[in-house]
């Protein structure tokens, strides 16, 4: 795709694959969408898929598989222990990451569970560029704390900084001096920083962090769940790597960390997850927990079919033409929204397009969940299901007050290789309508609120009848169209 030149002025992201299996979609009338939104407690996690038109909730476990992945699933070697399928996956990981040891887990957070139960003591602090919901929860349930050291510019919503996921090196040095290395079980870098808009981390920054960790004898850890997008950005945004292959870039990254883990629901167009390392001591500390929590060492909760698909999916991740589709579609969507003056996180990252609800819904108090309201309103006017990544995604402070998020985002994930350009254009069109009518949208309040990870199962309600008013305006403007 990188070398295509067009006759016209247009830039058209061009997929280097074609669709050979399709799934029929349904677009409900807005009245029914409102009914299902109310049933779901204004929480898009609780919507039924049959009520959703374009599912942009997440990139997790919904990336499209290739013909080669599907074919590989048929040759899976079904056995509890010692399956050939496992060894194929293990070999592929060794080939790509040059790591000796692999612990399979049923998904990314299971890897986090294992890592944190072994490494965290009460009173410890984990330093990281930015937290992910489950990554933070696993630190805190083990009595640890999280300190985020992302560069200040990383939290500026609209910018042209190429690597907004980088750690601030001065902050890192200061935190190590203040806390002491003994209180820091590991420093975590999350590539493709999920909660701040899928923003990449530069290899230059990883190198500095890795060197500082070595100097202080602190474990360096990489959450590689969103590695595919990050690799693409390392290649196109970091000069040193523009002529390197994706495999070479991967190996460079891998060599900088003591420990890596990933959710294969994102990485490798698959399911499952795992931990990889060259450190035998760490491997030995963690391996006993695999049979206890995940399953035997040669499947770790994954099915053999999942493992076969992942082996091929990891291979495809090393192909620039496979991993560039997501970032290029996202860049297109971001540019189209920007042209229409709609507040959106820039530069475009991986994972999805992120609307800046802090601005989009600036007439709603932050305590009434700007991003949550935007997420609900967009589903209502389009059938597009996004995910709130703002204050609802933060659990409350110990004193019971809301922990107001740094960023209020509506994340519209573009699962890899799934949506077409016309579907992206439809979403842009409805977002533009909603932006023009945003003053009709009001806030939300909790009616049922879990203590941990409340965004998954919490139920909310509109503070007034704004959903009905928005629906009435939709009918006025769109007639009896869906
Ligand atoms: C999704 C994700 C996880 C958790 O993985 P699951 O497979 O959903 O449990 C961890 N870290 C990051 C950065 C993720 O995006």
């Amino acid at each position: 795709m990188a070398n295509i030149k067009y006759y016209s002025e247009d830039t058209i992201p061009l997929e280097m694959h074609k669709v050979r299996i399709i799934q029929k979609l349904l677009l409900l009338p807005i009245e029914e969408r409102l009914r299902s939104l109310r049933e779901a407690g204004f929480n898009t996690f609780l919507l039924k898929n049959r009520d959703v038109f374009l599912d942009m909730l997440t990139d997790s476990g919904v990336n499209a598989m290739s013909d080669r992945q599907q074919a590989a699933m048929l040759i899976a070697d079904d056995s509890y222990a010692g399956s050939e399928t496992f060894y194929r996956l293990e070999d592929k990981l060794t080939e790509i990451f040059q790591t000796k040891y692999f612990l399979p887990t049923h998904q990314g957070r299971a890897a986090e569970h294992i890592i944190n139960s072994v490494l965290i003591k009460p009173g410890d602090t984990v330093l990281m560029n930015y937290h992910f919901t489950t990554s933070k929860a696993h630190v805190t349930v083990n009595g640890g704390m999280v300190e985020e050291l992302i560069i200040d510019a990383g939290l500026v919503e609209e910018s042209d900084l190429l690597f907004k996921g980088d750690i601030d090196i001065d902050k890192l040095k200061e935190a190590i001096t203040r806390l002491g290395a003994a209180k820091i079980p590991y420093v975590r870098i999350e590539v493709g920083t999920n909660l701040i808009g899928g923003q990449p981390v530069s290899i230059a920054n990883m190198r500095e962090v890795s060197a500082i960790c070595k100097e202080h004898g602190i474990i360096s850890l990489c959450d590689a769940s969103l590695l595919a997008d990050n690799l693409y950005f390392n290649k196109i945004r970091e000069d040193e790597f523009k002529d390197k292959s994706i495999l070479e870039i991967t190996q460079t990254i891998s060599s900088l960390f003591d420990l890596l883990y990933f959710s294969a629901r994102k990485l490798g167009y698959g399911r499952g997850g795992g931990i990889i390392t060259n450190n035998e001591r760490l491997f030995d500390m963690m391996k006993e927990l695999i049979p206890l929590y995940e399953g035997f060492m040669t499947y770790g909760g994954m099915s053999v079919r999942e493992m076969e698909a992942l082996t091929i999916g990891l291979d495809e991740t090393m192909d620039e033409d496979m991993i560039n589709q997501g970032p290029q579609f996202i860049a297109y969507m971001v540019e189209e929204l920007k042209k229409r003056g709609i507040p959106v996180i820039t530069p475009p990252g991986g994972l999805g397009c992120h609307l800046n609800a802090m601005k989009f819904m600036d007439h709603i108090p932050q305590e009434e969940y700007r991003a949550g309201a935007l997420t609900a309103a967009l589903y209502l006017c389009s059938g597009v299901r996004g995910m709130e990544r703002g204050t609802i995604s933060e659990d409350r402070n110990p004193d019971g007050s809301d922990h107001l998020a740094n960023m209020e985002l509506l994340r519209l994930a573009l699962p890899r290789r799934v949506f077409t350009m016309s579907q992206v254009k439809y979403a842009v069109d409805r977002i533009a309508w909603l932006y023009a009518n945003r003053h009709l949208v009001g806030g939300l309040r909790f009616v049922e609120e879990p203590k941990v990870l409340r965004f998954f199962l919490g139920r909310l309600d509109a503070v007034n009848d704004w959903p009905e008013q928005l629906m009435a305006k939709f009918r006025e403007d769109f007639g009896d169209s869906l």
Side-chain angles (χ1 to χ4, degrees):
M1 159 146 64
N3 294 321
I4 305 280
K5 292 258 187 303
Y6 287 98
Y7 175 60
S8 69
E9 301 266 292
D10 290 347
T11 341
I12 308 166
L14 183 65
E15 306 90 321
M16 297 306 280
H17 60 257
K18 63 180 177 178
V19 180
R20 294 169 59 221
I21 297 180
I22 58 119
Q23 178 182 357
K24 175 94 167 63
L25 294 173
L26 205 68
L27 178 53
L28 298 176
I30 189 168
E31 291 75 12
E32 286 180 44
R33 297 200 292 262
L34 180 54
R35 197 171 318 129
S36 64
L37 187 63
R38 287 206 174 279
E39 274 170 25
F42 288 81
N43 179 350
T44 50
F45 275 99
L46 302 180
L47 286 169
K48 296 194 175 81
N49 216 18
R50 71 168 92 100
D51 298 341
V52 171
F53 176 45
L54 301 179
D55 191 5
M56 298 185 175
L57 184 76
T58 173
D59 60 333
S60 175
V62 289
N63 300 296
M65 281 198 192
S66 68
D67 48 358
R68 290 177 59 224
Q69 286 182 287
Q70 301 260 347
M73 288 165 82
L74 294 176
I75 54 158
D77 179 26
D78 237 328
S79 77
Y80 187 88
S83 152
E84 264 308 292
T85 292
F86 173 77
Y87 295 114
R88 277 196 278 272
L89 174 55
E90 190 180 50
D91 287 350
K92 183 54 70 184
L93 286 163
T94 302
E95 175 194 322
I96 290 178
F97 292 96
Q98 298 185 319
T99 46
K100 267 194 240 143
Y101 305 108
F102 167 45
L103 295 169
T105 63
H106 79 272
Q107 59 185 93
R109 73 198 67 184
E112 290 167 344
H113 175 213
I114 307 275
I115 291 168
N116 289 295
S117 19
V118 164
L119 294 182
I120 305 278
K121 293 185 305 303
D124 282 350
T125 301
V126 173
L127 305 178
M128 52 178 76
N129 52 343
Y130 209 74
H131 78 284
F132 180 69
T133 50
T134 57
S135 326
K136 181 173 176 179
H138 279 289
V139 172
T140 51
V141 295
N142 282 291
M145 286 165 291
V146 159
E147 213 176 295
E148 293 168 325
L149 308 175
I150 188 142
I151 49 170
D152 293 340
L155 298 180
V156 175
E157 287 92 347
E158 286 156 56
S159 106
D160 46 22
L161 192 67
L162 297 179
F163 291 99
K164 283 164 79 177
D166 283 0
I167 280 191
D168 184 319
I169 297 297
D170 291 333
K171 285 190 205 166
L172 176 62
K173 289 180 180 161
E174 184 280 324
I176 295 174
T177 310
R178 173 166 41 85
L179 299 162
K183 287 274 181 221
I184 305 168
Y186 62 86
V187 174
R188 172 177 175 275
I189 287 195
E190 179 184 313
V191 295
T193 328
N194 192 323
L195 297 191
I196 61 158
Q199 296 293 324
V201 181
S202 68
I203 292 178
N205 189 250
M206 296 183 213
R207 278 201 189 111
E208 282 194 85
V209 171
S210 170
I212 292 170
C213 286
K214 270 209 183 69
E215 183 190 324
H216 292 89
I218 301 170
I219 294 169
S220 55
L221 173 145
C222 175
D223 178 345
S225 303
L226 302 179
L227 181 67
D229 303 329
N230 209 95
L231 288 168
Y232 173 72
F233 292 124
N234 293 131
K235 172 136 183 152
I236 64 157
R237 293 185 185 174
E238 208 166 354
D239 256 1
E240 183 187 341
F241 297 98
K242 67 176 191 296
D243 298 320
K244 294 274 190 281
S245 70
I246 299 294
L247 180 65
E248 287 167 321
I249 299 172
T250 306
Q251 292 178 347
T252 303
I253 292 177
S254 175
S255 71
L256 296 172
F257 295 94
D258 298 310
L259 199 57
L260 299 97
Y261 74 92
F262 57 91
S263 165
R265 299 176 64 83
K266 287 95 180 243
L267 184 65
Y269 312 96
R271 307 283 189 279
I275 304 168
I276 49 179
T277 181
N278 271 318
N279 186 316
E280 190 176 3
R281 190 181 63 88
L282 286 174
F283 174 76
D284 284 340
M285 283 161 73
M286 293 185 288
K287 72 178 179 200
E288 287 173 20
L289 298 183
I290 300 293
L292 181 61
Y293 292 118
E294 300 300 301
F296 192 64
M297 294 294 281
T298 55
Y299 71 93
M302 285 183 275
S303 77
V304 282
R305 281 166 199 78
E306 284 169 336
M307 287 194 281
E308 289 290 358
L310 175 56
T311 303
I312 303 294
L314 288 168
D315 219 28
E316 289 173 357
T317 303
M318 298 299 109
D319 177 351
E320 191 181 343
D321 279 345
M322 285 281 112
I323 59 173
N324 63 10
Q325 184 269 339
Q328 295 210 17
F329 267 51
I330 292 161
Y332 175 85
M333 191 167 178
V334 167
E335 292 307 324
E336 290 300 306
L337 291 167
K338 247 172 70 180
K339 270 190 223 161
R340 293 162 174 79
I342 296 166
V344 62
I345 299 298
T346 56
L351 204 172
C353 164
H354 295 72
L355 301 186
N356 178 6
M358 198 74 91
K359 240 192 200 171
F360 200 120
M361 290 297 171
D362 59 6
H363 59 288
I364 299 175
Q366 212 186 340
E367 292 77 7
E368 290 181 7
Y369 310 125
R370 290 179 187 180
L374 176 57
T375 306
L378 181 65
Y379 168 72
L380 186 60
C381 75
S382 68
V384 172
R385 161 157 73 171
M387 186 192 290
E388 193 270 1
R389 292 276 84 155
T391 297
I392 295 177
S393 295
E394 301 283 347
D395 290 333
R396 283 184 190 271
N397 296 317
D399 69 1
S401 61
D402 255 321
H403 181 97
L404 298 179
N406 295 325
M407 287 190 176
E408 295 286 346
L409 304 181
L410 161 54
R411 181 179 87 185
L412 296 168
L414 293 190
R416 299 168 186 88
R417 312 189 292 204
V418 170
F419 291 122
T420 63
M421 187 50 60
S422 22
Q423 289 166 335
V424 169
K425 288 186 172 188
Y426 167 84
V428 167
D429 181 77
R430 284 292 191 266
I431 294 165
W433 179 83
L434 185 57
Y435 190 61
N437 293 284
R438 64 191 181 280
H439 294 294
L440 292 174
V441 179
L444 299 174
R445 58 182 174 83
F446 268 101
V447 290
E448 244 181 79
E449 188 178 342
K451 280 209 171 55
V452 181
L453 301 177
R454 62 179 181 174
F455 64 91
F456 278 129
L457 299 174
R459 303 181 72 83
L460 302 100
D461 197 2
V463 294
N464 54 35
D465 70 346
W466 67 258
E468 282 72 16
Q469 290 179 31
L470 190 68
M471 186 166 79
K473 182 69 165 73
F474 180 96
R475 278 284 164 249
E476 201 181 304
D477 290 353
F478 292 101
D480 59 5
S481 154
L482 296 171

